[in-house]
Amino acid sequence: MSLLRLEQVSKHYGGLVANEDISFAVEAGEIVGLIGPNGAGKTTLFNCIAGYTAPSSGAIWLGEKALAGLPPERCAALGVARTFQIARTFTSMTALENVMVAALLKTHRLALARQRARHWLDFTGLAHLGDTPAASLTTSEQRRLAVARALALEPLLLLLDEVMAGLNPTEVQRAAEVVQKIRDAGIACLVVEHVLEGIMPIANRIVVLDYGRKLAEGSPEAIANDPQVIAAYLGA
Ligand SMILES: Nc1ncnc2c1ncn2[C@@H]1O[C@H](COP(=O)(O)OP(=O)(O)OP(=O)(O)O)[C@@H](O)[C@H]1O
Ligand SMILES: [Mg+2]
């Protein structure tokens, strides 16, 4: 059984078709890239999977649990965590406190939450910044903090929405290493990304959206050479 399975998921906003008839699966232990032009419906699909909006039709399965229409906290409790395209950092708190807020959703013991938060900061390469106010972190550090917060929910599936945007090549490389480390820890990753040099080398599979529909699905190599994908998104 797949970890995540989407069956003909559609999301319409009035007459606007944000997602139409999208089906694909993510297996445990996989990194799947979700790519496509601006407005293709990538974030909307994340919102459907994580419970931030209900699909207009279709089914979303996490193992044998139906996710579609559940609220975010239920999806999170079942094992889906996400980051947001627009950061939702608590800027007046330290980095450690930001992760503790998430860890406290899994335990009410403060000392344990602090210990787990330290673990995820360390995991994402932020151990030395625990006491730093989140507002003082660089863009790259803030992205990793968002990932650490999502990991503190102890998910089975992590949805990453453009965590590599605006990073320099070295930072992209490090972010890609963190995503691989997450997969190696047994957490499947569905990764929305425009930074293709970050996602293509590490993804097991790529799903391409265009105008709300699935345009293609395949290995990074197959996708990079797919004439339809080149025409719609990659360019020559
Ligand atoms: N809450 C909403 N109400 C109305 N329309 C929406 C809403 N959310 C998204 N849309 C529309 O749905 C379409 C898909 O948007 P979405 O944000 O999912 O695209 P995206 O692939 O994430 O784009 P980007 O790469 O720019 O982040 C767009 O036309 C957008 O304007
Ligand atoms: Mg988006």
Side-chain angles (χ1 to χ4, degrees):
M1 186 188 296
S2 298
L3 176 63
L4 176 73
R5 199 165 78 251
L6 277 66
E7 293 173 347
Q8 297 178 292
V9 173
S10 296
K11 177 67 187 182
H12 299 173
Y13 291 106
L16 189 143
V17 177
N19 291 146
E20 185 72 358
D21 210 17
I22 296 175
S23 302
F24 66 89
V26 177
E27 310 300 330
E30 266 195 323
I31 296 171
V32 175
L34 184 61
I35 68 172
N38 294 116
K42 306 178 297 293
T43 297
T44 301
L45 198 60
F46 269 19
N47 288 335
C48 290
I49 298 168
Y52 288 79
T53 193
S56 307
S57 62
I60 302 174
W61 300 94
L62 189 76
E64 54 193 15
K65 297 271 186 349
L67 293 184
L70 296 182
E73 61 275 14
R74 283 293 300 147
C75 293
L78 290 172
V80 179
R82 71 173 300 179
T83 66
F84 291 88
Q85 190 168 353
I86 296 161
R88 296 193 176 182
T89 314
F90 301 112
T91 48
S92 62
M93 294 185 187
T94 66
L96 182 71
E97 287 164 349
N98 265 274
V99 185
M100 281 180 70
V101 170
L104 281 166
L105 296 171
K106 300 297 286 186
T107 176
H108 293 302
R109 293 164 55 199
L110 201 60
L112 185 58
R114 185 178 290 113
Q115 182 189 327
R116 288 179 181 168
R118 285 218 170 88
H119 166 74
W120 292 118
L121 282 180
D122 183 43
F123 189 96
T124 51
L126 297 173
H128 58 299
L129 295 170
D131 296 329
T132 304
S136 310
L137 300 180
T138 66
T139 302
S140 168
E141 290 160 353
Q142 296 215 16
R143 295 284 168 66
R144 273 183 281 151
L145 180 61
V147 174
R149 280 174 56 188
L151 287 168
L153 294 174
E154 299 170 27
L156 302 169
L157 172 71
L158 180 59
L159 310 177
L160 299 175
D161 199 349
E162 299 206 32
V163 292
M164 299 177 190
L167 305 189
N168 70 37
T170 310
E171 292 166 343
V172 167
Q173 178 62 35
R174 289 177 67 189
E177 284 163 15
V178 170
V179 177
Q180 286 179 294
K181 201 170 151 189
I182 293 167
R183 171 182 59 189
D184 294 345
I187 301 163
C189 298
L190 182 58
V191 182
V192 166
E193 199 52 74
H194 285 290
V195 181
L196 299 181
E197 43 303 6
I199 185 61
M200 290 302 236
I202 64 169
N204 299 90
R205 254 169 337 109
I206 300 282
V207 173
V208 187
L209 299 189
D210 190 32
Y211 292 109
R213 292 176 175 273
K214 188 172 91 170
L215 180 69
E217 174 176 355
S219 69
E221 298 73 27
I223 292 300
N225 295 302
D226 184 322
Q228 271 192 301
V229 178
I230 292 169
Y233 181 52
L234 298 178

